[in-house]
């Protein structure tokens, strides 16, 4: 069995402000082999790494990313809400993260946040940026918007896609096949070992989220998942090291 990918959720978000270059760099230091981040788009079309549609919670401006030009967004403090020592952190661009990955072996899980603000054209733009960075074989595109994932697959059959969902879907690997997806990004309670087995028979892997407790990590490793998305890449790294 291959070692599961250790995806740091929004970077090492237990230790650093989520979705900042500090969080991504710390994730690597803590043993992450992958990084999950959330992609939104500014008013003038820059792809950026931020979870919420609004800038309020993590960057202090009560406005949508979609309504803000990159120049203004680039000056916002994306670190102080977490701890004043991170006040220099900014909202990273997708290109900044792609550069970090290009200099390493990291696998990127780029979650398109196009469920509320739909960001028409975002799929092609993300794919172009990934190709430009030469990372098509090290990216998994995911989204709760499965129409968007179907479009990604049409545009780029060679780039992996992962279906995000929360519930105990019935035989989700059969559904995944209808949109030619490669992975199931399931809420971790919606993952049982027999489902991992049946999905594997259909050529589909599981990358459950967001798994922060050791016991649950062990359960999922033993179930045979191909990756785990966690705020604590150090905990997962230690468990994987113990198991050789
Ligand atoms: O991709 C896994 C996870 O990030 C999905 O939920 O809300 O944390 O982006 P959320
Ligand atoms: Mg996410």
């Amino acid at each position: 069995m291959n070692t599961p990918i250790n995806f740091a959720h929004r970077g090492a978000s237990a230790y650093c402000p989520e979705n900042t270059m500090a969080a991504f760099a710390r994730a690597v230091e803590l043993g992450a082999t992958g990084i999950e981040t959330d992609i939104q788009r500014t008013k003038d079309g820059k792809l950026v790494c931020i979870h919420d549609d609004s800038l309020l919670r993590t960057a202090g401006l009560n406005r949508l990313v979609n309504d803000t030009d990159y120049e203004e967004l680039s000056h916002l403090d994306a670190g102080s809400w977490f701890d004043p020592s991170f006040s220099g952190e900014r909202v990273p661009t997708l290109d900044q993260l792609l550069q970090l990955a290009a200099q390493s072996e990291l696998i990127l899980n780029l979650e398109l946040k196009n469920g509320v603000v739909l960001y028409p054209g975002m799929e092609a733009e993300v794919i172009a940026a990934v190709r430009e960075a030469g990372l098509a074989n090290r990216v998994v595109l995911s989204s709760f918007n499965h129409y968007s994932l179907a479009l990604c697959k049409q545009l780029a059959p060679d780039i992996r896609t992962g279906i995000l969902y929360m519930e105990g879907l019935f035989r989700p690997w059969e559904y995944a096949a209808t949109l030619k997806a490669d992975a199931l990004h399931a809420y971790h309670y919606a993952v049982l070992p027999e489902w991992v087995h049946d999905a594997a028979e259909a050529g589909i892997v599981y990358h459950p989220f967001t798994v922060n407790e050791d016991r649950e990590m062990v359960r999922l490793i033993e179930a045979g998942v191909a990756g785990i998305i966690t705020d604590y890449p150090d905990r997962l790294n230690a468990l994987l090291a113990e198991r050789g």
Side-chain angles (χ1 to χ4, degrees):
M1 192 188 299
N2 290 331
T3 304
I5 303 163
N6 181 346
F7 284 110
H9 180 239
R10 312 179 193 177
S13 57
Y15 303 105
C16 296
E18 65 184 53
N19 286 330
T20 59
M21 292 309 290
F24 300 150
R26 188 91 180 103
V28 175
E29 288 166 10
L30 295 177
T33 52
I35 286 177
E36 187 269 359
T37 191
D38 308 290
I39 306 297
Q40 310 252 6
R41 190 174 67 192
T42 63
K43 187 177 180 183
D44 54 343
K46 185 75 93 176
L47 297 167
V48 290
C49 304
I50 183 169
H51 179 272
D52 298 1
D53 298 329
S54 164
L55 291 158
L56 184 59
R57 179 176 63 88
T58 58
L61 179 66
N62 192 8
R63 197 172 333 123
L64 296 179
V65 177
N66 188 43
D67 289 338
T68 307
D69 280 333
Y70 179 67
E71 163 62 17
E72 185 177 4
L73 178 144
S74 70
H75 297 290
L76 299 176
D77 173 354
S80 288
W81 70 274
F82 186 85
D83 187 277
S85 64
F86 289 103
S87 67
E89 291 302 318
R90 299 291 178 257
V91 177
T93 63
L94 171 60
D95 284 337
Q96 282 177 281
L97 176 58
L98 291 170
Q99 278 168 28
L100 177 74
Q103 293 157 11
S104 66
E105 306 281 297
L106 277 174
I107 296 168
L108 296 183
N109 172 199
L110 305 178
E111 182 189 346
L112 308 191
K113 279 290 184 204
N114 51 2
V116 179
V117 179
L118 296 178
Y119 295 121
M122 173 190 251
E123 296 87 354
E125 293 162 9
V126 170
I127 287 165
V130 167
R131 291 214 188 284
E132 175 78 24
L135 292 172
N137 61 351
R138 277 201 273 140
V139 162
V140 184
L141 301 171
S142 65
S143 181
F144 286 99
N145 178 342
H146 301 173
Y147 284 90
S148 175
L149 292 178
L151 176 57
C152 286
K153 210 48 169 178
Q154 270 175 27
L155 295 172
D158 56 318
I159 298 181
R160 283 174 282 173
T161 57
I163 295 178
L164 275 162
Y165 63 96
M166 297 292 296
E167 311 300 341
L169 299 182
F170 182 70
R171 299 179 69 80
W173 49 92
E174 293 179 358
Y175 169 62
T178 67
L179 51 153
K180 299 191 167 61
D182 303 273
L184 295 164
H185 288 214
Y187 184 47
H188 64 97
Y189 293 118
V191 183
L192 293 185
E194 54 270 36
W195 302 346
V196 177
H197 175 266
D198 288 356
E201 301 243 294
I204 309 262
V205 298
Y206 272 88
H207 297 152
F209 70 93
T210 300
V211 188
N212 289 335
E213 302 303 326
D214 283 20
R215 264 180 57 172
E216 184 67 346
M217 288 177 181
V218 169
R219 181 182 80 82
L220 292 164
I221 293 166
E222 290 180 351
V225 300
I228 291 178
I229 300 169
T230 178
D231 298 332
Y232 293 90
D234 50 338
R235 292 183 184 171
L236 180 55
N237 189 43
L239 291 171
L240 292 173
E242 270 173 27
R243 308 170 81 81

